[in-house]
Amino acid sequence: ADIISTVEFNHTGELLATGDKGGRVVIFQQEIENKNQPLFRSEYNVYSTFQSHEPEFDYLKSLEIEEKINKIRWLPQKNAAQFLLSTNDKTIKLWKISERDKRPEGYNLKEEDGRYKDPNTITSLRVPVLIPMDLMVEASPRRVFANAHTYHINSISVNSDNETYLSADDLRINLWHLEITDRSFNIVDIKPTNMEELTEVITAAEFHPHQCNTFVYSSSKGTIRLCDMRTSALCDKHSKLFEEPEDPSNRSFFSEIISSISDVKFSHSGRYMMTRDYLSVKVWDLNMENRPVETYQVHEYLRSKLCSLYENDCIFDKFECCWNGNDSVVMTGSYNNFFRMFDRGHRRDITLEASRENSKPMQVLKPRKVSAGGKRKKDEISVDSLDFNKKILHTAWHPQDNIIAVATTNNLYIFQDKVN
Amino acid sequence: MECAFDAQKLISISLRKIQSSRTQRGGIKLHKNLLVTYVLRNARQFYMSKNLSQTQRTHHYEDVAAVREKQEYLELSGSFTELADDFYCNFTGVESDTWHCGAHQPIGQPAEVAHQDASACAMVSPSDSDLMVSEDCWSCAEIKSSWELPIPNAQANQKTVLDLDTHVVTTVTNGYFHSDCCAQSKQPQGAQCFSKKRKMDTSYHIVDPEFYLPDFGPVPCKRMRTDDDSHSDSEQLDSTNISNLISVLGSGGLSEFVSWQQTDLEQIFASQTICLKHTLLTGSGWTRAIEAF
């Protein structure tokens, strides 16, 4: 139940939310008191913990609905409270996280413990006052968006209009208004009339960061479709189709699996988008549909191991990817608790490891290297000694600073760029 | 290039994955199982191509045409049909020791029950090893005779057949199907009414109408509020287009297939799980028969 299933910074980076397989959400808050001082080291402390989703049972279909949190998305802050959307396979919830550091005291009709006084005993009138109390963080569900998805929800994305958001399952995408829970608009439906003709499913979807009419969704066939909601109410017909032809020399039994896109993310600028398939990360220019502008191999040495990875189900792992604040670096996870960063501008990449041994405070992470074959150099790790049970599927990058959150199976690691 | 043995291994692994997905928590994962079927298809295609080229080289007494026809028995065209509705209705893989194969169809009777457009399903009696595969195919799900199917070489025994899409339990007695639960010709309206795709009223719980409880008959499902009720008739349940009836293909033309699968299938048989039987397929659809021993 402690397996982390999603990680997300809020828009300022002050808060970091994680969801786990047990339906819990844990929010960390950055300590910002000494942020402007030299040698400042970010610390994230637990801010709030709450149970977002509980396991449910669909009696009609005789199946259990997992409480695992698939995605968390923060809403832009409008007032003192923070809002986030969390979703499991079937239900999306809007949570309000608010602070309470004062409590009222001196009621006329109530005792301090809440019991009501006998009105006949009241002889004077006073005004209740607010007195300080220990900070209490409350999380309360404000909206529940349920019963709109037949298949498993894989994505939610808040629109830049701050009023609507989309939710995507395997075959459909729905558009919601944050204030309205009893209806949603279906904007994409790829379910064929005859299910025998089903050849692909939706794997991820996201709104454009600035254009409120534009969103993309990726498919299990390795394609990305960009849709414009202004063209029609139902966006089954895409405005753009991003697809790279398959290299026939790489054809194998598992070609379809490794080409399935597991994550899609717009850059902060909105000019590019990034996709993650099993072996690579691709950066696409929205103005060019026929091929990505950049391709980064995450762990190409696994290409010869696909049969084993299929057998142990690792080939179905859904890795996520993320941009840094200025879109110059992309990051994604791998196995053996490795994660990779690709510097787009300098064409450099680095492999780092998230482990307890390497994660002492202030310790600089040492670059790692996997030996693909032949003679293994010192400090290199051979492919056969990789631990495929240790995988980093979820990573997040602070929107402004070089602070990253990396989730291993049960632990969350927060790393910061070395301060000189 | 993977050898034929790897293809066999992949097929058996894929079948196991499909089987285990039926009992996992949270329901069947549509995405994962779609990918597994792609592997299954690729492995099968590879094995078939290897088998064909090998057979052609051996100058067996059977001519190539006959070999090809036999291999057509093994042909599995590649769509996702047999799993789609399982996922849709989130079938959790109820297992029963009483499941048996059924739906034996003689060749030469397709005229009465043939359907042109539906997914194809032709099942061969296991004893007719020399039967040529008929080009005519029909959808088992749309057989109008309500399960009354004459079967050659029928044995005086009873088998229970479970349709995984409609969850209708039928009994095969002396080669004849008798539906234990009436399969509705007209499917109830329900979650399939996405004709009005723009708006969905989530105050109604979306129900998969093809989920029938065998003991209690069809489950009435709530109907979504749509303005266009005329579309409801055209919204056919996925289950009516896909037949998951059981078909045993034993000896004869499938011996090659069965033999190389034997090692893995024996394990499956021994563990009292389902086995995947192959049927003749044409067109874009394929029907799958599942039998549990």
Side-chain angles (χ1 to χ4, degrees):
Chain A
D2 287 336
I3 297 172
I4 297 173
S5 53
T6 184
V7 180
E8 186 80 358
F9 278 102
N10 75 335
H11 294 271
T12 61
E14 183 195 354
L15 298 176
L16 175 66
T18 62
D20 66 22
K21 206 174 174 187
R24 280 183 301 270
V25 172
V26 180
I27 301 176
F28 300 85
Q29 184 185 40
Q30 186 182 25
E31 181 192 303
I32 56 172
E33 283 179 6
N34 303 314
K35 190 171 183 181
N36 295 324
Q37 292 189 2
L39 301 178
F40 167 74
R41 191 167 59 86
S42 294
E43 273 194 20
Y44 280 81
N45 303 310
V46 176
Y47 179 64
S48 175
T49 303
F50 57 93
Q51 187 74 29
S52 171
H53 288 73
E54 296 278 1
E56 295 175 52
F57 194 80
D58 187 328
Y59 294 97
L60 212 52
K61 299 178 188 175
S62 293
L63 70 96
E64 191 175 6
I65 300 170
E66 276 190 285
E67 67 276 28
K68 176 170 75 85
I69 307 296
N70 293 335
K71 282 291 187 302
I72 289 175
R73 289 290 182 263
W74 290 93
L75 269 58
Q77 191 173 12
K78 286 184 187 175
N79 50 40
Q82 300 276 357
F83 289 85
L84 62 81
L85 289 169
S86 65
T87 184
N88 67 348
D89 284 340
K90 297 288 185 183
T91 304
I92 307 137
K93 294 186 181 180
L94 176 68
W95 290 88
K96 176 182 178 184
I97 295 100
S98 53
E99 292 181 358
R100 187 190 295 236
D101 59 358
K102 294 182 180 59
R103 64 180 179 88
E105 197 180 69
Y107 282 107
N108 289 286
L109 297 176
K110 280 196 294 188
E111 303 285 357
E112 294 302 324
D113 58 5
R115 284 181 301 129
Y116 279 94
K117 290 180 184 176
D118 181 358
N120 298 323
T121 63
I122 298 170
T123 56
S124 62
L125 201 64
R126 58 179 175 168
V127 177
V129 293
L130 293 172
I131 59 170
M133 60 179 268
D134 292 336
L135 177 67
M136 190 168 69
V137 180
E138 295 176 327
S140 56
R142 306 300 291 180
R143 305 276 188 274
V144 178
F145 305 91
N147 302 326
H149 285 279
T150 308
Y151 300 92
H152 295 137
I153 297 173
N154 52 56
S155 304
I156 49 174
S157 177
V158 183
N159 201 344
S160 53
D161 64 7
N162 293 335
E163 288 186 355
T164 58
Y165 74 95
L166 64 79
S167 59
D169 65 25
D170 292 321
L171 296 180
R172 298 187 178 100
I173 300 178
N174 293 333
L175 181 69
W176 301 83
H177 192 281
L178 286 164
E179 299 293 330
I180 300 170
T181 59
D182 62 351
R183 71 196 66 186
S184 67
F185 286 82
N186 175 247
I187 53 176
V188 172
D189 188 340
I190 65 167
K191 185 180 178 185
T193 310
N194 187 355
M195 279 295 274
E196 297 172 5
E197 297 160 14
L198 180 73
T199 56
E200 62 180 337
V201 298
I202 297 169
T203 53
E206 192 177 59
F207 266 119
H208 192 277
H210 310 307
Q211 299 167 12
C212 58
N213 53 282
T214 305
F215 66 94
V216 294
Y217 67 93
S218 59
S219 83
S220 55
K221 271 190 167 179
T223 62
I224 309 103
R225 288 171 173 82
L226 183 141
C227 300
D228 188 337
M229 294 195 291
R230 297 171 299 183
T231 54
S232 65
L234 190 59
C235 298
D236 279 358
K237 197 174 173 189
H238 55 265
S239 298
K240 292 190 180 184
L241 175 67
F242 299 85
E243 187 176 17
E244 184 179 28
E246 184 192 353
D247 181 1
S249 63
N250 281 334
R251 181 79 197 153
S252 74
F253 288 148
F254 311 103
S255 294
E256 286 83 4
I257 298 185
I258 63 173
S259 65
S260 174
I261 293 174
S262 53
D263 194 18
V264 62
K265 291 270 175 42
F266 276 106
S267 63
H268 293 91
S269 65
R271 165 87 188 264
Y272 300 96
M273 66 177 175
M274 168 168 56
T275 58
R276 176 71 156 98
D277 51 61
Y278 189 64
L279 296 178
S280 66
V281 166
K282 296 178 181 175
V283 176
W284 302 78
D285 187 326
L286 293 191
N287 300 318
M288 187 163 74
E289 300 170 53
N290 58 349
R291 62 177 173 84
V293 290
E294 296 153 32
T295 301
Y296 302 103
Q297 300 301 332
V298 180
H299 36 219
E300 182 67 15
Y301 46 80
L302 295 183
R303 192 179 287 275
S304 58
K305 309 284 180 190
L306 294 179
C307 198
S308 308
L309 295 167
Y310 178 72
E311 213 168 334
N312 62 20
D313 269 3
C314 283
I315 205 172
F316 300 106
D317 288 333
K318 295 180 184 176
F319 291 94
E320 294 177 2
C321 52
C322 61
W323 299 85
N324 74 335
N326 59 7
D327 300 334
S328 61
V329 183
V330 298
M331 177 169 68
T332 189
S334 181
Y335 293 103
N336 209 68
N337 280 347
F338 288 169
F339 59 99
R340 303 259 282 144
M341 291 185 186
F342 301 93
D343 188 329
R344 300 173 61 211
H346 298 100
R347 290 282 168 176
R348 288 184 311 209
D349 61 86
I350 188 170
T351 303
L352 301 170
E353 182 180 359
S355 66
R356 288 186 185 276
E357 296 76 34
N358 303 332
S359 301
K360 297 182 178 50
M362 302 299 283
Q363 183 177 4
V364 176
L365 295 180
K366 187 178 155 188
R368 315 293 285 177
K369 195 159 172 61
V370 177
S371 165
K375 198 171 179 183
R376 185 173 66 90
K377 295 178 186 172
K378 188 189 170 190
D379 291 339
E380 281 189 356
I381 299 168
S382 72
V383 178
D384 295 322
S385 53
L386 292 175
D387 188 344
F388 290 98
N389 292 318
K390 295 181 181 176
K391 56 191 84 171
I392 292 177
L393 303 176
H394 312 287
T395 58
W397 204 306
H398 192 286
Q400 281 122 29
D401 301 331
N402 278 342
I403 301 170
I404 58 173
V406 174
T408 60
T409 305
N410 296 110
N411 298 304
L412 181 73
Y413 293 83
I414 299 175
F415 299 112
Q416 180 182 0
D417 201 13
K418 189 176 70 170
V419 178
N420 294 318
Chain B
M1 189 66 169
E2 295 91 337
C3 64
F5 177 72
D6 288 338
Q8 297 176 31
K9 187 181 166 193
L10 279 178
I11 289 175
S12 65
I13 291 171
S14 302
L15 295 178
R16 286 201 193 96
K17 287 186 190 296
I18 292 171
Q19 161 63 4
S20 65
S21 73
R22 296 172 184 277
T23 55
Q24 70 186 21
R25 192 167 172 250
I28 298 173
K29 301 283 190 290
L30 184 66
H31 182 200
K32 179 179 176 183
N33 282 271
L34 175 65
L35 298 177
V36 168
T37 58
Y38 274 119
V39 174
L40 199 54
R41 183 199 64 178
N42 294 339
R44 181 258 307 169
Q45 284 174 347
F46 176 82
Y47 178 79
M48 292 303 303
S49 63
K50 283 284 182 186
N51 200 29
L52 178 63
S53 60
Q54 234 175 0
T55 309
Q56 284 174 337
R57 283 195 299 269
T58 54
H59 304 292
H60 198 262
Y61 66 86
E62 289 168 309
D63 62 14
V64 175
V67 170
R68 281 185 199 275
E69 281 161 355
K70 283 186 184 176
Q71 287 172 340
E72 285 172 359
Y73 275 91
L74 313 178
E75 182 65 28
L76 306 171
S77 64
S79 73
F80 189 45
T81 58
E82 85 290 3
L83 292 170
D85 236 40
D86 288 343
F87 305 143
Y88 187 68
C89 59
N90 289 303
F91 177 63
T92 55
V94 175
E95 294 183 355
S96 167
D97 291 337
T98 62
W99 294 7
H100 293 285
C101 291
H104 293 274
Q105 280 292 330
I107 305 300
Q109 287 205 4
E112 298 172 357
V113 293
H115 291 268
Q116 301 304 318
D117 299 326
S119 61
C121 157
M123 288 146 286
V124 178
S125 168
S127 61
D128 295 332
S129 58
D130 296 327
L131 278 176
M132 309 295 274
V133 173
S134 170
E135 292 296 324
D136 294 324
C137 303
W138 56 92
S139 167
C140 294
E142 296 185 23
I143 291 172
K144 293 180 179 147
S145 57
S146 299
W147 319 105
E148 295 288 319
L149 305 171
I151 300 174
N153 302 315
Q155 298 174 6
N157 58 2
Q158 273 202 347
K159 293 180 182 176
T160 304
V161 176
L162 173 69
D163 185 313
L164 291 180
D165 291 317
T166 62
H167 295 266
V168 174
V169 178
T170 58
T171 305
V172 180
T173 306
N174 292 333
Y176 282 83
F177 272 101
H178 303 282
S179 176
D180 295 340
C181 301
C182 294
Q184 287 187 344
S185 57
K186 180 181 176 182
Q187 300 299 338
Q189 296 113 15
Q192 290 292 2
C193 292
F194 288 129
S195 55
K196 187 149 180 138
K197 290 183 176 178
R198 182 171 170 82
K199 207 168 181 180
M200 284 167 47
D201 189 342
T202 59
S203 58
Y204 284 98
H205 180 65
I206 296 174
V207 173
D208 295 319
E210 68 270 37
F211 181 81
Y212 291 96
L213 300 173
D215 295 332
F216 305 111
V219 176
C221 52
K222 296 178 184 173
R223 179 178 169 176
M224 290 180 53
R225 287 203 289 260
T226 70
D227 294 335
D228 194 355
D229 290 339
S230 63
H231 284 244
S232 60
D233 291 340
S234 65
E235 289 281 356
Q236 289 297 323
L237 296 175
D238 298 332
S239 61
T240 62
N241 298 325
I242 304 167
S243 170
N244 279 333
L245 290 177
I246 294 173
S247 167
V248 177
L249 302 171
S251 59
L254 297 169
S255 58
E256 305 103 292
F257 183 83
V258 172
S259 63
W260 63 253
Q261 275 244 311
Q262 201 169 5
T263 306
D264 297 311
L265 286 179
E266 278 175 355
Q267 293 175 8
I268 297 174
F269 296 159
S271 64
Q272 299 288 307
T273 57
I274 63 170
C275 70
L276 186 69
K277 308 291 184 174
H278 296 279
T279 64
L280 174 70
L281 306 156
T282 61
S284 63
W286 65 316
T287 59
R288 181 175 60 98
I290 294 185
E291 169 169 342
F293 293 94

